[in-house]
């Protein structure tokens, strides 16, 4: 049965098509995606990757019917509905649904900034902030009149200004029967 990529339109002969061995890696034959040539060590990883091209999302949320390509994505998503936050900051005890979010949060305490712009050498604590910085034209920033901090987006400056005024325009979330609902 031929499979067409929802992204690039290329067609693989069958679901078995992505398992094309090429060369050796770590003593075992490497596997390559038939669509994009990305290399994998394990057949299961290749099969999971191939869903990027087919658009297949076999894992469905029982609460909202949203679908996911990977079981781990569904497990993480379920935390939205259950309120479960298994990752806790050892410094401030704030809890998170994902380990990656906790790691990013920890940098607020350590002030670690491992992502550096190759052009201006400015460092960032988050890779997405670096990418946004790199997309922003030089001279296009919005500066806080109180502390002189600069923002690439005006709405981010507006959010930041509330740290100086103490304004909290949004009501907090409250839990009702294990689901988070806006009051």
């Amino acid at each position: 049965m031929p499979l067409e990529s929802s992204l690039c339109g290329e067609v693989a002969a069958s679901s078995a098509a992505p398992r094309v061995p090429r060369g050796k890696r770590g003593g075992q034959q490497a596997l390559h995606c038939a669509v994009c040539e990305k290399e994998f060590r394990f057949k299961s990883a290749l099969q999971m990757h191939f869903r990027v091209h087919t658009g297949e999302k076999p894992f469905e949320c029982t609460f909202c019917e949203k679908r996911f390509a990977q079981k781990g994505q569904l497990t993480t998503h379920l935390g939205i509905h259950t309120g479960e936050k298994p990752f806790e900051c050892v410094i401030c005890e704030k809890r998170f649904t994902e380990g990656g979010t906790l790691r990013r949060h920890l940098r607020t305490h350590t002030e670690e900034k491992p992502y550096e712009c190759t052009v201006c050498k400015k460092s960032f604590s988050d890779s997405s902030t670096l990418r946004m910085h790199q997309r922003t034209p030089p001279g296009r920033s919005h500066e806080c009149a109180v502390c002189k901090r600069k923002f690439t987006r005006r709405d981010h400056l507006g959010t930041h200004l509330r740290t100086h005024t103490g304004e909290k325009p949004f009501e907090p979330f409250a839990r009702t029967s294990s689901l988070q609902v806006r009051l």
Side-chain angles (χ1 to χ4, degrees):
M1 157 180 163
L3 295 172
E4 183 175 342
S5 167
S6 61
L7 299 176
C8 66
E10 189 159 327
V11 178
S14 72
S15 60
R19 295 180 218 110
V20 181
R22 301 242 174 103
K24 296 212 174 202
R25 181 179 181 177
Q28 68 185 92
Q29 269 201 321
L31 303 167
H32 286 75
C33 174
V35 177
C36 69
E37 296 296 316
K38 188 170 181 176
E39 185 177 291
F40 297 89
R41 291 179 65 188
F42 303 101
K43 186 165 84 172
S44 59
L46 174 60
Q47 289 170 326
M48 191 167 31
H49 160 78
F50 201 62
R51 292 181 187 142
V52 169
H53 302 296
T54 64
E56 179 189 11
K57 294 183 177 183
F59 304 99
E60 183 177 343
C61 175
T62 56
F63 291 96
C64 68
E65 298 179 8
K66 187 172 182 177
R67 300 186 72 86
F68 301 89
Q70 297 176 20
K71 187 175 183 179
Q73 293 170 324
L74 171 60
T75 303
T76 299
H77 167 80
L78 286 172
I80 293 169
H81 301 294
T82 64
E84 183 182 358
K85 295 182 176 183
F87 301 95
E88 183 177 343
C89 176
V90 295
I91 298 168
C92 69
E93 298 180 355
K94 186 171 181 178
R95 300 187 71 84
F96 301 91
T97 56
E98 299 179 47
T101 308
L102 169 60
R103 282 190 297 280
R104 193 166 43 251
H105 165 78
L106 282 168
R107 291 191 208 115
T108 64
H109 297 298
T110 64
E111 297 184 14
E112 178 189 7
K113 295 184 176 184
Y115 305 98
E116 184 179 276
C117 176
T118 56
V119 177
C120 71
K121 304 301 181 199
K122 184 173 179 179
S123 295
F124 300 90
S125 60
D126 189 83
S127 62
S128 63
T129 309
L130 170 61
R131 282 192 305 276
M132 187 170 60
H133 163 78
Q134 291 170 328
R135 289 192 304 258
T136 305
R140 289 286 317 259
S141 65
H142 307 279
E143 186 175 288
C144 174
V146 178
C147 68
K148 305 299 182 203
R149 185 171 172 191
K150 293 181 180 179
F151 297 86
T152 54
R153 291 176 43 180
R154 191 179 347 179
D155 61 323
H156 290 174
L157 170 60
T159 302
H160 165 77
L161 284 170
R162 289 197 294 268
T163 65
H164 298 298
T165 65
E167 178 190 1
K168 295 183 179 180
F170 306 107
E171 292 183 30
F173 285 95
R175 275 201 192 150
T176 306
S177 68
S178 82
L179 294 179
Q180 288 192 351
V181 180
R182 180 155 316 253
L183 294 173

